[in-house]
Amino acid sequence: METKLYVGNLAFVATEDDLRAHFGQVGAVKTVTLIKDRETGRSKGFAFVEMETEADAAAAIEKLNGTQLGQRSINVSIARPREEGNRGGRGGGHFGGGRGGRGGDRRW
């Protein structure tokens, strides 16, 4: 089991100190990273909390998932690794379709 947790459904006013105190009730907190919008600096409503041990992480999931932090019921789960090449953009790529009226097996 991992020690890094995903914390979702955070109130936008929640701080790293709030998270450290909330998770500190169940175990030793190693790091807290509140994810913020680059342009506005405003919270995106989720964070990552790394606990010192796997036992602390398991306790945090069991005891804190669904609890209230501020006015919101938070979601706590194991953080999944970021997918390679996925930067949260809209993608792009090839949208398929025909060949614009050019028939046959023409090579481009």
Side-chain angles (χ1 to χ4, degrees):
M1 183 174 162
E2 290 285 323
T3 60
K4 191 171 190 179
L5 304 173
Y6 167 82
V7 184
N9 200 38
L10 288 173
F12 294 118
V13 295
T15 66
E16 289 184 358
D17 289 339
D18 294 336
L19 288 163
R20 187 172 300 281
H22 197 64
F23 281 77
Q25 296 174 40
V26 296
V29 176
K30 191 172 184 180
T31 62
V32 175
T33 306
L34 184 63
I35 307 303
K36 297 180 181 180
D37 183 273
R38 287 184 214 169
E39 293 178 20
T40 65
R42 183 178 172 198
S43 169
K44 288 189 171 189
F46 68 97
F48 295 97
V49 175
E50 188 174 5
M51 303 300 285
E52 288 286 343
T53 67
E54 290 182 5
D56 289 343
I61 292 170
E62 182 182 330
K63 295 178 181 175
L64 299 179
N65 186 41
T67 61
Q68 296 287 310
L69 181 60
Q71 299 296 318
R72 308 283 294 266
S73 177
I74 63 172
N75 301 317
V76 182
S77 62
I78 294 294
R80 290 179 291 171
R82 187 176 196 168
E83 292 180 18
E84 284 298 316
N86 184 1
R87 299 231 176 242
R90 287 192 160 78
H94 191 278
F95 291 97
R99 290 196 164 157
R102 296 180 188 237
D105 189 23
R106 197 176 265 181
R107 303 280 179 211
W108 300 94

